[in-house]
Amino acid sequence: MSFLDKYEMVCGVETHVEMATKTKIFCGCSTEFGGEQNTHVCPVCLGLPGVLPVLNKEVVNLAIKAGLALNCDIAEFSKFDRKNYFYPDLTKNYQTSQYDLPICKNGWLDVMVNGTMKRIGITRAHMEEDAGKLVHSGDTITTSNSSGVDYNRTGVPLLEIVSEPDMRSIDDVLAYLEELVQIMDYAGISDCKLEQGSVRFDINVSLRLKGTETFGTRTETKNLNSFSSVRRCLEYETERQADALDEGLEIIQETRTWDEGRGMTLSLRSKEEAHDYRYFPEPDLMPLVIDRDWVERIRATMPELPTAKRERLQALGLSAYDAGVITASKDMAFFFDQAMATCDDAKLLANWVMGDLSALLKTNGRTFADSPVSPAQLASLVMLIKKGDISGKIAKSVIEEIYSTGKDPETIVKEKGLAQISDAGELEKIIDGILAANEKSVADYKAGKEAALGFFVGQVMKATKGQANPGMVNKLLKEKLAQ
């Protein structure tokens, strides 16, 4: 019996998204990832005495765009606040954030979970500055004797998206997070490079007895930056809480950290409430007044988002699974759309995008954004297959040639003499020779061993170096063997 037969999981997620601006939220320092430590800093993002912040308008534009993508109300009046806390990686000892008047609130996201559509509420999304980064002497904070601080990330603009506690399973959480990250990527809010910390998740989770409505005491595990870590963290943390509840122990409301190597959460500190932060309005920044024309101008620039794209691809004839795979990556979806401009077979094209081309790119450590095979070249290849000019088997060698030489598929087929043999007379001569040389297999087939047909097809393909038209070979073979 699993503990999930007894308890129900209640989960909400706070997602921190680094916004894709070139400069920081309150100064002109670069937001570029990496670089020598403490080189992307100035007195403003370090919060030195006497400096004044200036709000980056592009941050507000992206926050509005994100809010529209998440079906939020966009505030007409919003402001920044100081969140007072000891941040070891933020020299000001307060974070400029938003408290009671966030720019976005009351949104929602529909996600597909195991074939069922589920709506997850978005409580709010607010702008704030990122803190710096602690550089530990050991592998983790718990195994380090000392830590340094890199302030390059300090002041990079964040959008913190807070969900309602609407998720009841790990599948719910992962479906929500994957959809959220896709939307942020498609809308251009963030580069969404999880491996660089562009998106980070704080997981709030509690358990309650099934059938009850009261929430249990929750814990918050901070700064997870991969879906696999979220899954493992939830598996561990829910089981830990279930064991404690079964033993009659109290769940402590606290902030925890995820130890990837040990596969467990560890206590960091007791959980703070909002009043512990002693928020007060940021006196150095004017409140934001957002007129509706501003919002509508941004709404007019909204790109096609993943849900709409999946629906459009399915209308082209793709299965829900294929549409999901292609739209899971913005670059792959963009590549597919470009190829479809000169291709009239969406399913065949999708098979090549998801299959051979994806495998080639993965093998060579590349992505669809820098694919040596262009969308037009792949579309041409697919059309050669569809018209019967080359077989699928030959096409596999052609796409490798395109990848390595950059030549168009038509040129490769012509130069290498790879055109498919569809001449019935020529194929009949080859088939006659093969049947004459394999009398026993002919007898087997006529005795009812239909598997022998596959042997003959293989022999013809071998004799023609894969250039025979498979459909015609099958047809002619059956006719000959029926005689």
Side-chain angles (χ1 to χ4, degrees):
M1 177 178 174
S2 165
F3 68 89
L4 292 176
D5 293 324
K6 182 178 180 181
Y7 297 106
E8 181 179 57
M9 184 182 103
V10 177
C11 186
V13 183
E14 298 170 16
T15 305
H16 292 83
V17 178
E18 284 189 355
M19 290 192 270
T21 57
K22 292 182 178 178
T23 55
K24 294 183 179 180
I25 185 169
F26 300 125
C27 66
C29 288
S30 171
T31 57
E32 186 177 349
F33 177 78
E36 189 175 345
Q37 293 178 6
N38 295 309
T39 54
H40 300 167
V41 294
C42 73
V44 173
C45 55
L46 289 176
L48 299 185
V51 299
L52 289 173
V54 177
L55 178 60
N56 183 342
K57 186 176 181 180
E58 184 58 17
V59 173
V60 183
N61 288 335
L62 291 177
I64 293 172
K65 181 178 276 190
L68 293 173
L70 298 175
N71 306 292
C72 290
D73 299 330
I74 309 300
E76 294 186 19
F77 184 86
S78 183
K79 68 178 176 65
F80 284 93
D81 302 274
R82 289 188 179 182
K83 183 180 181 183
N84 291 276
Y85 188 74
F86 172 69
Y87 293 93
D89 47 5
L90 196 59
T91 52
K92 295 187 296 184
N93 269 343
Y94 66 84
Q95 181 186 32
T96 304
S97 181
Q98 295 193 288
Y99 176 45
D100 56 337
L101 294 173
I103 189 167
C104 311
K105 59 183 181 180
N106 302 329
W108 48 266
L109 203 56
D110 286 338
V111 297
M112 187 68 75
V113 185
N114 301 323
T116 302
M117 192 64 79
K118 183 166 186 174
R119 177 160 293 186
I120 309 296
I122 305 288
T123 311
R124 57 186 282 154
H126 63 258
M127 301 173 287
E128 63 184 24
E129 61 184 338
D130 207 347
K133 181 181 178 182
L134 293 177
V135 183
H136 306 304
S137 60
D139 292 334
T140 69
I141 190 172
T142 55
T143 60
S144 298
N145 294 321
S146 63
S147 297
V149 187
D150 178 6
Y151 291 108
N152 279 355
R153 202 175 66 185
T154 303
V156 168
L158 290 181
L159 189 70
E160 180 175 340
I161 302 166
V162 182
S163 83
E164 292 287 312
D166 289 342
M167 290 161 270
R168 298 289 177 267
S169 69
I170 294 175
D171 287 346
D172 283 1
V173 176
L174 293 176
Y176 165 75
L177 295 182
E178 288 170 0
E179 185 73 13
L180 181 65
V181 171
Q182 277 189 33
I183 288 173
M184 293 298 106
D185 187 21
Y186 273 72
I189 308 301
S190 170
D191 63 19
C192 292
K193 294 179 178 176
L194 274 67
E195 70 282 5
Q196 294 182 3
S198 296
V199 183
R200 308 188 293 273
F201 312 112
D202 297 347
I203 306 294
N204 290 274
V205 65
S206 65
L207 294 181
R208 65 184 176 189
L209 287 172
K210 281 197 168 180
T212 61
E213 295 296 324
T214 305
F215 288 165
T217 302
R218 72 183 188 279
T219 62
E220 179 185 47
T221 304
K222 296 187 76 66
N223 289 327
L224 300 166
N225 66 352
S226 75
F227 299 131
S228 63
S229 293
V230 169
R231 175 181 288 283
R232 295 181 66 209
C233 170
L234 281 169
E235 288 173 345
Y236 175 86
E237 182 60 15
T238 51
E239 188 165 353
R240 184 191 71 83
Q241 291 189 21
D243 288 344
L245 292 171
D246 284 344
E247 294 175 16
L249 301 176
E250 181 184 1
I251 302 298
I252 301 170
Q253 184 170 326
E254 61 184 352
T255 298
R256 300 179 70 85
T257 184
W258 171 245
D259 189 319
E260 185 71 36
R262 298 164 70 184
M264 61 192 303
T265 65
L266 299 168
S267 179
L268 274 183
R269 58 180 184 267
S270 61
K271 173 65 180 176
E272 297 82 4
E273 300 290 353
H275 61 261
D276 293 324
Y277 291 118
R278 293 171 289 118
Y279 282 98
F280 67 86
E282 166 59 75
D284 291 339
L285 289 165
M286 294 289 288
L288 269 173
V289 177
I290 303 170
D291 66 55
R292 296 304 90 181
D293 286 345
W294 186 357
V295 175
E296 292 310 313
R297 285 197 299 274
I298 291 175
R299 192 191 303 277
T301 68
M302 293 294 290
E304 183 181 41
L305 296 178
T307 298
K309 191 175 286 290
R310 285 193 291 270
E311 291 173 354
R312 180 169 59 76
L313 296 189
Q314 288 181 65
L316 291 174
L318 300 192
S319 67
Y321 173 81
D322 289 348
V325 171
I326 290 174
T327 55
S329 159
K330 184 175 74 172
D331 291 335
M332 185 191 287
F334 184 63
F335 186 100
F336 179 85
D337 276 343
Q338 284 188 308
M340 273 304 294
T342 52
C343 179
D344 62 5
D345 193 322
K347 176 57 182 169
L348 187 56
L349 176 63
N351 289 344
W352 280 87
V353 168
M354 296 185 296
D356 290 71
L357 182 54
S358 285
L360 264 178
L361 295 173
K362 185 176 181 181
T363 300
N364 293 282
R366 307 188 79 151
T367 69
F368 278 89
D370 62 354
S371 169
V373 180
S374 72
Q377 287 173 323
L378 186 66
S380 296
L381 181 68
V382 168
M383 293 307 293
L384 288 176
I385 301 168
K386 187 177 182 185
K387 288 188 293 184
D389 291 345
I390 59 172
S391 66
K393 184 176 181 180
I394 291 293
K396 289 179 180 296
S397 64
V398 174
I399 195 172
E400 291 178 358
E401 191 77 10
I402 300 170
Y403 189 97
S404 59
T405 68
K407 292 181 179 178
D408 289 334
E410 295 87 349
T411 303
I412 294 168
V413 169
K414 186 176 179 180
E415 287 180 351
K416 293 185 172 292
L418 298 175
Q420 186 163 260
I421 302 171
S422 299
D423 183 294
E426 185 176 352
L427 288 175
E428 280 188 290
K429 289 179 184 176
I430 296 169
I431 289 171
D432 286 342
I434 289 172
L435 295 181
N438 295 279
E439 292 181 354
K440 183 176 183 306
S441 295
V442 173
D444 288 344
Y445 179 83
K446 292 188 174 180
K449 293 183 179 179
E450 294 189 1
L453 182 64
F455 166 75
F456 292 128
V457 172
Q459 291 299 304
V460 174
M461 298 309 286
K462 182 179 179 182
T464 60
K465 297 180 180 177
Q467 290 179 251
N469 183 318
M472 291 190 68
V473 170
N474 270 280
K475 178 175 177 293
L476 292 171
L477 270 170
K478 288 178 180 177
E479 290 174 356
K480 294 279 184 184
L481 290 167
Q483 292 173 3

